[in-house]
Amino acid sequence: MNFRTLDLNLLRVFDQVMAERNLTRAAQRLAMTQPAVSNALRRLREAIGDELVVRTASGVRPTPRAEALWPHVRAALDELRAALDPSAFDPRQNAATFRLAMADATAATLLPHLISAIEREQALTNLRVLPLTTRDPRALLERNEADFAVGYFPDAVAALSHEGHGAPLHHERLWDDEYVCVMRKDHPLAKRVLTLDEFCAAHHLLVSFSGRAHGFVDQALAALNRTRRVVLTVNQFFTAGRVVTQSDLLTVLPRQFVPATGFEGELVTRPLPLSLQGVHVEVLWHQRHDRHPAYRWMLQQVREAAARRREAALRPARA
């Protein structure tokens, strides 16, 4: 490829197609026709020597070469936009797409407040929520596969705090929570204070993004020379709530996530018979976005949505 003759406008088209994974939506965001977007992709394919995207029933799927190229293209475009006009972003005039990696319960409690703010401001902002498959999203952010990660990431936050100001990623606490034991309302253990012996003898469901049947509860039990049997692991809090309502399994969830299961009325919570550290929900992002006004605006929306979420969580207690 001869970079000197490459039309750099093709990279803008490529970036939007990768963000939308749909040629029609990308054309709308770019104020172009779909044939013009298709033609731009064809020219870029010829220049790079790769198909870049493959058509699917719902849009397009990127090739491995496109996945590897996109973080560099997006970072370069962000740097250029910020350098040309650091204050140019207007959410009502400039369309932007942001990718947020978070678990389903985090999304269920945060997104209503976030969408409300976006609609109230009449912002041309699109959100793409990516599923979390790990408790450590640093690699996801460093590879530019997500713009923000929101959740409980104790190992990642501890490592970033140790690195200090030299860390490539930033983090900020959004809210705190505590873990509770969750079971169906008519569970045999639901009518009394749960003892450690009863907790260990019961069968358990574990929400595990990795699929491993061993988590922080098991680590805390091991410190007490105790164990439990994890019968089932799932990777969604909604699924956990559904299964627990229809079985004798116990699960351990952040207290404020119980409503997000969709089955709060069929569940009860009980204090855990062992000590666990609190849940600290954080937002993580890469420093490459710090100078870009669009990302700064989006981060502020996340902060404000988290503040409204905290207020909403306190209302029942005040009543």
Side-chain angles (χ1 to χ4, degrees):
M1 184 188 73
N2 188 344
F3 184 78
R4 290 177 298 176
T5 61
L6 178 66
D7 182 352
L8 297 183
N9 283 318
L10 303 180
L11 300 180
R12 292 180 58 247
V13 174
F14 171 71
D15 175 61
Q16 200 61 239
V17 169
M18 289 293 290
E20 296 293 341
R21 306 296 167 99
N22 184 285
L23 298 187
T24 300
R25 290 199 299 267
Q28 291 171 347
R29 298 302 173 196
L30 292 163
M32 298 171 62
T33 64
Q34 184 172 331
V37 169
S38 298
N39 182 58
L41 280 178
R42 177 187 59 77
R43 293 169 59 199
L44 190 60
R45 287 190 186 105
E46 294 172 354
I48 293 178
D50 186 89
E51 283 298 303
L52 297 177
V53 296
V54 178
R55 289 185 181 273
T56 66
S58 59
V60 293
R61 182 182 71 250
T63 65
R65 174 66 173 138
E67 292 280 16
L69 181 63
W70 188 34
H72 303 286
V73 170
R74 170 155 281 208
L77 291 174
D78 288 344
E79 288 283 340
L80 185 58
R81 291 189 193 102
L84 291 173
D85 192 348
S87 60
F89 182 71
D90 180 349
R92 296 190 180 190
Q93 300 293 329
N94 304 122
T97 298
F98 300 99
R99 300 157 298 160
L100 286 71
M102 62 179 80
D104 63 311
T106 309
T109 57
L110 183 65
L111 286 178
H113 303 287
L114 197 52
I115 292 299
S116 176
I118 289 172
E119 293 184 339
R120 186 171 57 252
E121 292 202 22
Q122 299 179 354
L124 299 177
T125 300
N126 307 304
L127 302 182
R128 303 288 180 259
V129 177
L130 311 177
L132 274 173
T133 58
T134 175
R135 285 282 185 188
D136 188 345
R138 285 178 291 174
L140 192 69
L141 296 168
E142 288 170 353
R143 294 195 300 263
N144 203 20
E145 295 175 3
D147 300 311
F148 301 95
V150 181
Y152 178 45
F153 312 121
D155 293 340
V157 169
L160 293 174
S161 299
H162 180 73
E163 291 181 47
H165 293 297
L169 302 178
H170 302 312
H171 65 95
E172 183 177 313
R173 186 168 299 181
L174 296 177
W175 69 80
D176 297 316
D177 203 349
E178 63 177 349
Y179 283 109
V180 291
C181 184
V182 182
M183 63 191 79
R184 60 183 173 89
K185 290 179 67 173
D186 54 350
H187 193 286
L189 300 176
K191 302 298 183 182
R192 57 182 182 270
V193 176
L194 189 63
T195 68
L196 184 59
D197 286 340
E198 291 171 331
F199 182 82
C200 292
H203 291 174
H204 292 257
L205 178 154
L206 171 64
V207 179
S208 170
F209 299 140
S210 66
R212 293 177 59 246
H214 189 276
F216 56 89
V217 174
D218 303 282
Q219 295 171 359
L221 287 173
L224 301 173
N225 294 318
R226 305 295 294 268
T227 61
R228 64 173 179 165
R229 181 184 171 193
V230 176
V231 175
L232 175 67
T233 66
V234 299
N235 62 3
Q236 290 186 329
F237 291 93
F238 173 84
T239 305
R242 180 62 179 268
V243 172
V244 168
T245 62
Q246 301 181 26
S247 70
D248 280 340
L249 298 183
L250 307 183
T251 192
V252 176
L253 300 178
R255 181 185 297 277
Q256 295 176 28
F257 279 3
V258 176
T261 65
F263 302 98
E264 183 180 19
E266 302 174 51
L267 300 170
V268 296
T269 62
R270 292 291 177 263
L272 287 166
L274 70 159
S275 178
L276 293 179
Q277 291 186 344
V279 184
H280 309 301
V281 177
E282 311 247 352
V283 56
L284 275 63
W285 71 97
H286 199 282
Q287 66 180 3
R288 71 169 71 90
H289 299 318
D290 285 349
R291 288 182 290 174
H292 196 293
Y295 288 92
R296 293 200 301 268
W297 177 85
M298 188 66 224
L299 178 60
Q300 185 58 31
Q301 302 313 303
V302 171
R303 290 173 178 141
E304 293 177 4
R308 288 190 291 273
R309 181 210 170 279
R310 291 195 302 268
E311 294 171 0
L314 290 174
R315 286 181 196 133
R318 289 172 181 166

